[in-house]
Amino acid sequence: MADKVSVVLPDGSKKEYSAGMAISQILRDFNQALAKGALATFLNGRMVDLSEKVQEDSEIKIINFDSEEGKEIFWHSTSHVMAQAVQDLFPGVKLAIGPPIKGGFYYDFDTQKSFEPEDLARIELRMKEIVKQNHPFKRRELAKSEAEEIFRQKGENYKLEILSELEEDRVVLYQHDDFVDLCRGPHVPATGVIKNFKLLSIAGAYWKGSEKNPMLQRIYGISFATKDELDQYLKRMEEMKRRDHRVVGKELELFSISDEVGPGLVLWHPKGAMIRRIIEDFWVEEHQKHGYQLIYTPHVARLHLWERSGHTGFYQEYMYSPMQVEDEHYQLKPMNCPFHILIYKSKLRSYRDLPLKLAELGACYRYERSGVLQGLFRVRGFTMDDAHIFCKREQLEEEVIKLLDFSLSMLKTLSFEKYQIFLSTRPDKSIGEEKNWEKAQDALRLALEKQELEFEVDEGGGAFYGPKIDLKIEDVMGRPHQCTTIQFDFNIPERFDLSFVDSDGNFHRPIMIHRALLGSLERFFGVLIEHYGGAFPLWLSPVQVRVMPITDEQNSYSAEIESRLKEEGFRVERDDRNEKINYKIRKAEKEKIPYMFIVGKKEVQDKNVSVRRHKKGDLGRFDLDEIIQKLKEEVKNKTVQPVAI
RNA sequence: GCCGAUGUAGCUCAACGGUAGAGCAACUGAUUUGUAAUCAGUAGGUUGGAGGUUCGAUUCCUCUCAUCGGCUCCA
């Protein structure tokens, strides 16, 4: 072995060190300040601990908290510290797994005791001690049999199960203080690094995610490199709570879900219904522009229809039980497609009719297990902004491009410009000819590429009846929400024996695309509420202007303004209660009404209004015609105020 | 569905074995007010529902319903 090794340092420079020197030492020599923030390193592209020794000519790159890898390492190490704290405080608790996740980490434990919120504080205290003691994380590679012996002695049967599934002969353990865990690593150098953490919640989780396995107790947590980041995170959590559509929906009287009606069934209150109506009008207008024909279909149909469509087979678990009417069974619809198909089938179709686009805001009912319901995000009765496109195979790609454009422009208007796109391909269990699948998948892929849209491929993630594109929008808080879906269906056209006469005079089977752009109006509304934090842009606001006289001397003038605004097509309210103007302003601000028109003596005299904008404050005095013009522009342009978080 | 937590006035929360209390909202009155809460008064609850323990239950127990956080799944 050479005495000296040549090391390429993070800045690209080269330097010689004696072989066997630890990376941490080399980094300290390289740059004290940078070394301090290092959690681990890439050694020749391989993620390793800082304690790893350099034995050959190498390249070193620092991993710090700012990178994905850094966060994962940091969170993973925090989960080890938490697990130790839990075992210290509650002897006998068994360890399952404790990985880092998107936003933090968790650890699953098996114990008779059920953790309570107060326990989190105790665990945090113990964690603080462990952090203070600054135990180094020690890596140890050993034979699998040795590791098995260690965990057998500790009675860690979940670890033994994991070990038994590993193919390698040698495995890695990490130890800090007296806590040992099976772990590939790397880890932060010592527990002292993890100063800023917070345990967030306790939840049940099945071992390996399967309902057949025992239920474990999971503790979620988060940690950061600096206190600032942790504070910011906690602030963001607060903000998310404040924006929760269930909270805002109640405060602003947008919707409710009543016990007496049933879980997952939404009552749209006047203000929420107003917003929905505006979105629907917009939707209808856009669909007509894009060559769709609007239809209406019933909420129930003979069970037979659902048998023919195949839903009673593959979709039964999500369907409400059928109801009996005059010895016939009827089924509440979980989807709209069979109806649309029957409209397609109502007459002989020619290639000249294609692509035929039938659209409907169709109310569907699906049985969702009680535990999964969540505000407007997950309900049992919802309205799909559904459409079905019947076309020839050659039209596929063009139709998908049109769909993507349509969806993205609509979402842009509703102020969603960030999204993730997924292309899901053929699953193992599926129907249809291979060549159809390939053509359809190619069409989807080509369309995405032509539009220069980035996407991820979810291999085998398609429905059994066809491949699909899913689009998730990202809200201001950076959370993704399932939105647009574009799905091919090779199943239903077969089952209903769909056909059209092509230019060659022969019958052919059309391709069918199911698509929803907003997904469901309920969920989309929930997303919108949180995205805007309840402060809807002017064009969507259920109340756009509130006129507020300062004293009752201005009541008649304010009534004049109110009726003028109404004539101009605005949604107006007047607050002529016997209250101080500050009180009225406070009310209007809390209700997030975009514009407040304040009229006092001066305004009556000069025949104008004082205008106050929600969140911005006083804009000064305006001539009524002038401000009406301004607001009309704002509505017409569907202007969105910056949606700050 | 499963695990855990929660459920008190329209809303936010308090009380805790001795038949519930505040703030806001509502209503009434006074006040006539200039850019985020004027004052006073009135009314409002079989403490989610059912059963049990007890002289007595909002409080303890059982069941049930719903909500919340997850597991899983999806529009």
Side-chain angles (χ1 to χ4, degrees):
Chain A
M1 197 197 292
D3 301 349
K4 294 276 178 191
V5 292
S6 152
V7 176
V8 179
L9 294 162
D11 65 350
S13 67
K14 241 184 202 178
K15 198 168 170 185
E16 296 230 312
Y17 290 95
S18 33
M21 203 177 203
I23 293 173
S24 53
Q25 258 180 300
I26 295 176
L27 285 179
R28 267 199 296 277
D29 172 68
F30 161 66
N31 181 327
Q32 288 277 357
L34 274 179
K36 228 180 151 193
L39 302 175
T41 54
F42 281 112
L43 178 64
N44 297 326
R46 196 165 50 92
M47 268 201 285
V48 299
D49 294 313
L50 291 176
S51 57
E52 183 94 356
K53 293 181 172 63
V54 179
Q55 307 289 9
E56 53 184 14
D57 291 353
S58 304
E59 183 184 6
I60 294 177
K61 280 192 184 132
I62 292 178
I63 300 177
N64 56 28
F65 188 78
D66 297 333
S67 67
E68 277 307 300
E69 292 90 350
K71 285 189 177 65
E72 278 182 20
I73 292 165
F74 199 83
W75 289 335
H76 201 166
S77 299
T78 317
S79 89
H80 277 219
V81 172
M82 177 175 79
Q84 185 197 345
V86 167
Q87 286 199 319
D88 286 354
L89 291 170
F90 310 101
V93 170
K94 286 181 189 166
L95 304 173
I97 54 165
I101 50 174
K102 280 179 281 173
F105 61 88
Y106 67 80
Y107 214 112
D108 283 346
F109 302 101
D110 186 11
T111 168
Q112 287 303 304
K113 182 202 152 52
S114 57
F115 294 119
E116 285 162 37
E118 299 81 73
D119 294 328
L120 293 187
R122 285 181 63 201
I123 297 167
E124 282 180 351
L125 278 180
R126 177 68 193 125
M127 286 171 74
K128 283 203 175 111
E129 286 170 14
I130 298 167
V131 167
K132 206 165 181 192
Q133 288 156 3
N134 198 18
H135 303 289
F137 276 89
K138 285 176 285 195
R139 181 179 198 274
R140 182 173 158 212
E141 199 178 310
L142 72 177
K144 192 158 104 176
S145 54
E146 255 183 285
E148 279 170 340
E149 189 46 40
I150 291 173
F151 288 119
R152 196 169 297 123
Q153 272 177 20
K154 289 177 178 283
E156 296 286 7
N157 47 325
Y158 294 96
K159 294 296 173 192
L160 287 171
E161 189 175 333
I162 298 169
L163 275 171
S164 72
E165 287 164 4
L166 290 178
E167 288 177 8
E168 298 89 337
D169 295 331
R170 296 189 68 74
V171 297
V172 179
L173 301 187
Y174 269 84
Q175 177 165 6
H176 68 268
D177 200 6
D178 56 358
F179 177 85
V180 184
D181 201 351
L182 175 68
C183 185
R184 209 174 279 126
H187 275 283
V188 300
T191 59
V193 176
I194 308 163
K195 291 195 183 66
N196 306 290
F197 59 83
K198 176 89 188 155
L199 301 186
L200 300 170
S201 61
I202 306 158
Y206 298 103
W207 169 237
K208 290 180 180 166
S210 166
E211 292 175 31
K212 295 184 187 91
N213 289 332
M215 175 68 76
L216 306 169
Q217 291 191 67
R218 175 174 296 181
I219 300 180
Y220 284 93
I222 184 83
S223 56
F224 290 97
T226 63
K227 185 166 186 303
D228 249 25
E229 286 169 290
L230 177 63
D231 290 346
Q232 242 174 25
Y233 174 86
L234 295 174
K235 247 172 112 179
R236 229 192 90 190
M237 296 276 287
E238 287 291 305
E239 179 63 24
M240 270 159 67
K241 247 193 209 159
R242 243 199 316 281
R243 280 173 180 255
D244 189 315
H245 71 275
R246 292 166 296 199
V247 176
V248 175
K250 185 174 253 174
E251 278 171 4
L252 300 186
E253 298 175 36
L254 301 175
F255 72 93
S256 67
I257 294 172
S258 157
D259 233 24
E260 293 199 64
V261 177
L265 301 168
V266 180
L267 298 171
W268 294 73
H269 293 213
K271 286 182 178 153
M274 176 58 78
I275 296 170
R276 171 171 170 165
R277 172 55 48 97
I278 297 162
I279 294 172
E280 285 183 356
D281 288 348
F282 170 61
W283 187 92
V284 165
E285 210 175 289
E286 288 297 308
H287 277 72
Q288 282 170 337
K289 275 190 210 158
H290 284 79
Y292 287 78
Q293 302 182 69
L294 298 178
I295 55 176
Y296 294 99
T297 67
H299 291 198
V300 293
R302 286 204 156 107
L303 189 59
H304 173 76
L305 179 68
W306 304 100
E307 280 160 2
R308 179 157 191 198
S309 68
H311 285 98
T312 50
F314 66 81
Y315 213 72
Q316 192 163 36
E317 62 169 317
Y318 291 108
M319 302 203 303
Y320 276 86
S321 307
M323 54 189 125
Q324 200 171 341
V325 182
E326 292 179 342
D327 293 334
E328 280 285 338
H329 288 285
Y330 282 80
Q331 174 67 49
L332 203 48
K333 70 172 166 183
M335 292 183 184
N336 305 302
C337 30
F339 300 96
H340 292 205
I341 280 173
L342 292 180
I343 292 175
Y344 177 92
K345 261 177 84 82
S346 63
K347 67 176 208 179
L348 187 63
R349 299 287 178 181
S350 134
Y351 72 97
R352 294 173 198 275
D353 296 329
L354 305 187
L356 181 75
K357 306 179 188 183
L358 300 177
E360 174 184 22
L361 292 164
C364 297
Y365 294 85
R366 297 184 187 173
Y367 166 73
E368 296 282 356
R369 298 198 292 179
S370 51
V372 305
L373 298 173
Q374 205 210 8
L376 293 176
F377 286 170
R378 195 57 181 265
V379 293
R380 286 187 176 153
F382 60 96
T383 315
M384 270 176 92
D385 70 315
D386 208 358
H388 293 90
I389 297 171
F390 302 88
C391 66
K392 296 166 66 168
R393 190 176 285 164
E394 304 86 84
Q395 294 169 324
L396 272 187
E397 193 188 313
E398 193 193 336
E399 286 309 313
V400 175
I401 288 176
K402 281 185 183 164
L403 273 172
L404 288 169
D405 280 353
F406 188 11
S407 165
L408 295 181
S409 77
M410 187 124 120
L411 291 172
K412 191 177 173 186
T413 305
L414 291 157
S415 64
F416 293 99
E417 298 197 54
K418 282 191 190 163
Y419 34 78
Q420 300 163 286
I421 302 178
F422 300 89
L423 168 61
S424 303
T425 59
R426 180 165 200 167
D428 293 337
K429 213 184 120 200
S430 56
I431 61 136
E433 290 171 46
E434 187 57 33
K435 71 170 198 283
N436 279 341
W437 274 86
E438 271 170 25
K439 287 220 162 131
Q441 282 165 200
D442 286 348
L444 289 174
R445 193 186 301 268
L446 269 169
L448 286 166
E449 283 167 2
K450 274 197 184 163
Q451 301 312 95
E452 294 180 353
L453 294 166
E454 276 179 40
F455 62 96
E456 277 176 50
V457 178
D458 179 5
E459 289 295 348
F464 78 90
Y465 50 79
K468 62 174 179 174
I469 289 176
D470 282 327
L471 195 144
K472 287 186 181 178
I473 49 177
E474 203 177 279
D475 65 18
V476 261
M477 312 297 289
R479 290 166 307 179
H481 301 274
Q482 172 66 43
C483 188
T484 301
T485 182
I486 300 171
Q487 309 187 350
F488 286 154
D489 194 329
F490 304 129
N491 183 44
I492 278 204
E494 287 289 332
R495 284 179 168 270
F496 283 88
D497 193 25
L498 297 191
S499 64
F500 67 93
V501 181
D502 208 345
S503 50
D504 61 7
N506 295 321
F507 284 100
H508 294 271
R509 180 96 61 224
I511 302 269
M512 187 172 109
I513 305 173
H514 306 260
R515 51 108 276 194
L517 301 186
L518 306 179
S520 87
L521 292 184
E522 283 74 6
R523 175 191 286 169
F524 192 80
F525 186 43
V527 175
L528 263 191
I529 293 171
E530 302 204 359
H531 190 57
Y532 294 129
F536 289 93
L538 190 66
W539 73 288
L540 289 176
S541 278
V543 179
Q544 296 171 307
V545 182
R546 183 171 286 166
V547 186
M548 311 188 298
I550 288 176
T551 75
D552 55 15
E553 273 175 44
Q554 293 90 40
N555 277 358
S556 68
Y557 180 62
S558 64
E560 268 174 48
I561 290 174
E562 184 194 16
S563 51
R564 169 75 196 283
L565 286 168
K566 273 189 180 154
E567 274 167 35
E568 299 283 353
F570 289 103
R571 299 181 286 276
V572 205
E573 281 179 1
R574 183 160 52 99
D575 185 355
D576 57 4
R577 286 180 298 177
N578 181 5
E579 293 290 351
K580 289 194 164 181
I581 195 65
N582 279 346
Y583 178 87
K584 295 180 187 179
I585 287 172
R586 183 181 156 78
K587 286 282 163 204
E589 285 286 347
K590 289 196 84 169
E591 289 173 48
K592 302 177 199 298
I593 295 169
Y595 285 97
M596 288 152 267
F597 284 8
I598 296 166
V599 292
K601 259 190 195 140
K602 293 180 245 169
E603 287 78 7
V604 175
Q605 233 164 47
D606 304 347
K607 288 281 164 202
N608 58 17
V609 290
S610 277
V611 177
R612 183 187 165 102
R613 170 85 213 191
H614 169 65
K615 266 189 180 161
K616 275 193 183 158
D618 195 357
L619 302 184
R621 285 163 77 184
F622 285 83
D623 183 69
L624 194 55
D625 290 326
E626 184 192 352
I627 192 71
I628 283 174
Q629 264 334 101
K630 265 186 185 288
L631 297 203
K632 277 190 170 172
E633 280 294 300
E634 193 175 333
V635 169
K636 193 177 146 222
N637 297 332
K638 301 185 169 60
T639 309
V640 177
Q641 293 291 314
V643 265
I645 56 167

